[in-house]
Amino acid sequence: MTEVLQNIPFLATERTEALLDIERHLIAGQSAIERWFRGQFQKTPAPFYASVDLRNSGFKLAPVDTNLFSAGFNNLNPEFSSLYVSAIQHHLNQYHPGLERVLLIPENHTRNLFYLENVARLRELLEMSGLEVRVGSLLLEERTAYDLPSGNSLLLEPIFREAGRLKAAGFDPQLILLNNDLSGGVPEILENLEQPISPPLAAGWRSRRKSQHFAHYRAAAHELAEVIDIDSWLIDPFFRRCQGIDFMRAEGRDCLVANVDAVLELTRERYAHYGITQRPFVIVKADAGTYGMGIMTAYSGEEFMDLNRKERTRMAKSKEGLPVSDVFIQEGVYTFEQTAEEAVAEPVVYMVGQQVLGGFYRVHTGRGRDENLNAPGAHFEPMAFGEPCVLPCRKSPPDAPVNRYYAYGVIARLTLVAAAREMADWRRQQIRSIE
């Protein structure tokens, strides 16, 4: 059994009635929950992998972001490698029987050795699952080996295209696995390939939108809330969307102001209903994109009437310098999880297929409970799993680690249902475009 780490975050609030009630319903409804999930994934298969950022305020447990190109496999507890490999093998057996050769295509962050640690770990897990894996670069023109801080090494190889197939030297893969979110668009070399690509090209941030994902999540959360008889708001953040925003020219401010205030008002009503005394806030961010860029905490729509130049510049660009015109306005969820040193933290849960692998805490010493933690200066603490917590324990209290981690896993899998429904939408759109 894994020794519990000393600096693992804990919930630092006395206001936990709602959370404990959620956890009681999850424990009591475990059989119905698992049956519901099984039915959902039979209708819409889960993506190859995904990760979700959660926030736990004690009165609300909800996702705030879902990543379909997960980039932190190196932060997972290595003692549970057998669980990770088993999940990969289960997904392969179900959706890719007979698969032997995979080409893994990462981001172009060849100078970010910590990101490459993630790629090396993902490659290792795939190889332990019985696959022959090569790592191909969209940029490099010759094979390049990297020595990583952990002592591992990683070889990146140039890729090329022959007719409709993507290859590396002496290697003809059967599956292209993307760990690149395609924020800059889909490279021509990846278009119209004979080989399947996972996640699909439509999952890239050039076309995917957070508002679409959370619309699917809202529907799934309402469905599960009916199964276990809870208020869906306890697991689902309000949101709105604005289009045609130009922060530098101050265009679209009226939409921002109106929708920020609308989300805040809806949140105030729920806070009043539950007797919550915290001040409601929103997180405003690009509707497309990741890496924690272009994000702002706001307590009123009026704050967007007089942004200074630095704030406008920060909000105007996302990853790879792409301009932000579509904005996602999300109900802010406080995090009351913190370390012994009082640094704020949030759980990040990883999944392969429909199976929860575990996760880690993102910890930030320079950010507050109402701020985005996916920012420079963050570090990671593995979750203190004494065993893989994929089932609740009815004999333990609701807030026991095994039950809290089960709750995290249920909410994470809800985002997976939403992502699966997104992919079903993309497939339907692709079929219509062909017809």
Side-chain angles (χ1 to χ4, degrees):
M1 182 171 288
T2 305
E3 182 180 351
V4 176
L5 302 179
Q6 297 301 310
N7 202 36
I8 290 301
F10 60 94
L11 193 59
T13 177
E14 295 180 357
R15 189 62 189 270
T16 59
E17 299 95 332
L19 176 62
L20 293 173
D21 192 49
I22 294 172
E23 291 169 342
R24 290 188 191 98
H25 281 78
L26 292 175
I27 296 168
Q30 185 264 340
S31 179
I33 290 169
E34 299 305 320
R35 185 165 58 249
W36 183 83
F37 274 125
R38 187 166 59 251
Q40 298 308 308
F41 291 126
Q42 287 172 350
K43 297 175 188 174
T44 50
F48 192 96
Y49 50 31
S51 60
V52 57
D53 298 347
L54 301 178
R55 302 278 283 209
N56 186 350
S57 63
F59 55 82
K60 183 161 186 159
L61 173 61
V64 293
D65 199 19
T66 303
N67 187 2
L68 297 182
F69 303 90
S70 308
F73 280 93
N74 56 308
N75 295 315
L76 295 176
N77 190 336
E79 293 189 31
F80 293 102
S81 295
S82 60
L83 173 65
Y84 313 151
V85 170
S86 175
I88 294 172
Q89 290 176 330
H90 177 78
H91 188 76
L92 294 177
N93 291 338
Q94 191 167 10
Y95 298 109
H96 301 282
L99 182 68
E100 296 180 357
R101 300 180 303 280
V102 172
L103 180 64
L104 175 61
I105 298 182
E107 298 278 359
N108 298 323
H109 305 326
T110 54
R111 295 183 180 179
N112 186 339
L113 297 184
F114 294 104
Y115 169 72
L116 295 182
E117 292 276 17
N118 156 74
V119 178
R121 179 58 171 154
L122 178 56
R123 180 208 61 196
E124 181 181 42
L125 292 173
L126 293 169
E127 289 176 342
M128 288 192 292
S129 302
L131 298 172
E132 183 181 355
V133 184
R134 302 273 277 273
V135 184
S137 170
L138 293 171
L139 289 182
L140 297 178
E141 296 182 358
E142 59 184 32
R143 292 163 57 127
T144 305
Y146 295 87
D147 294 322
L148 303 177
S150 65
N152 290 334
S153 62
L154 181 67
L155 178 66
L156 266 61
E157 304 183 51
I159 55 177
F160 60 93
R161 182 163 174 158
E162 283 187 357
R165 298 192 70 82
L166 195 64
K167 299 181 179 181
F171 188 71
D172 186 359
Q174 298 162 295
L175 173 71
I176 311 301
L177 181 60
L178 292 180
N179 200 247
N180 183 314
D181 66 20
L182 305 177
S183 291
V186 178
E188 186 176 351
I189 195 172
L190 296 180
E191 294 181 342
N192 302 312
L193 289 174
E194 294 176 4
Q195 300 123 312
I197 300 178
S198 184
L201 297 178
W205 281 121
R206 180 52 70 95
S207 54
R208 186 177 179 233
R209 293 294 180 268
K210 294 181 175 71
S211 53
Q212 294 171 348
H213 172 74
F214 276 94
H216 281 296
Y217 177 81
R218 169 150 298 168
H222 278 254
E223 293 169 29
L224 185 66
E226 290 185 359
V227 171
I228 59 175
D229 190 26
I230 64 168
D231 177 0
S232 62
W233 174 78
L234 297 171
I235 58 174
D236 175 32
F238 293 122
F239 70 89
R240 294 287 181 91
R241 179 191 186 196
C242 283
Q243 296 177 279
I245 302 296
D246 189 324
F247 284 99
M248 298 309 295
R249 297 182 179 180
E251 294 177 359
R253 289 189 304 186
D254 290 344
C255 180
L256 272 175
V257 171
N259 283 286
V260 166
D261 286 339
V263 171
L264 287 170
E265 182 57 31
L266 289 170
T267 307
R268 285 191 199 96
E269 292 174 1
R270 301 313 297 162
Y271 276 25
H273 175 78
Y274 284 100
I276 297 166
T277 58
Q278 274 75 25
R279 185 183 179 193
F281 69 99
V282 299
I283 297 292
V284 177
K285 50 191 170 183
D287 202 16
T290 185
Y291 285 88
M293 301 179 69
I295 298 178
M296 179 176 172
T297 298
Y299 284 87
S300 74
E302 191 174 332
E303 294 179 41
F304 291 91
M305 295 304 294
D306 53 0
L307 295 178
N308 60 41
R309 183 170 184 81
K310 182 178 180 181
E311 291 170 329
R312 294 200 306 272
T313 301
R314 177 165 54 87
M315 294 298 295
K317 300 288 184 181
S318 64
K319 184 184 172 189
E320 298 190 15
L322 298 173
V324 173
S325 60
D326 293 356
V327 173
F328 185 59
I329 302 155
Q330 186 177 54
E331 173 194 343
V333 181
Y334 285 95
T335 177
F336 284 109
E337 298 202 70
Q338 66 179 44
T339 66
E341 291 79 18
E342 299 186 357
V344 294
E346 64 186 9
V348 183
V349 178
Y350 271 59
M351 295 157 286
V352 164
Q354 57 188 275
Q355 187 165 336
V356 176
L357 301 186
F360 50 85
Y361 286 96
R362 180 183 289 116
V363 181
H364 206 300
T365 59
R367 292 289 175 108
R369 304 181 191 278
D370 61 348
E371 293 182 283
N372 165 53
L373 304 187
N374 187 11
H379 69 276
F380 307 98
E381 299 283 355
M383 286 188 182
F385 284 119
E387 56 187 39
C389 295
V390 295
L391 291 173
C393 178
R394 296 177 187 271
K395 296 180 180 179
S396 300
D399 58 351
V402 64
N403 290 327
R404 183 139 298 163
Y405 289 142
Y406 179 70
Y408 291 167
V410 169
I411 304 305
R413 282 185 290 165
L414 265 181
T415 71
L416 205 61
V417 171
R421 293 178 182 183
E422 280 183 275
M423 293 196 303
D425 281 351
W426 300 330
R427 285 192 291 270
R428 285 190 287 267
Q429 292 169 7
Q430 187 177 36
I431 291 172
R432 284 196 295 266
S433 67
I434 293 174
E435 294 174 346

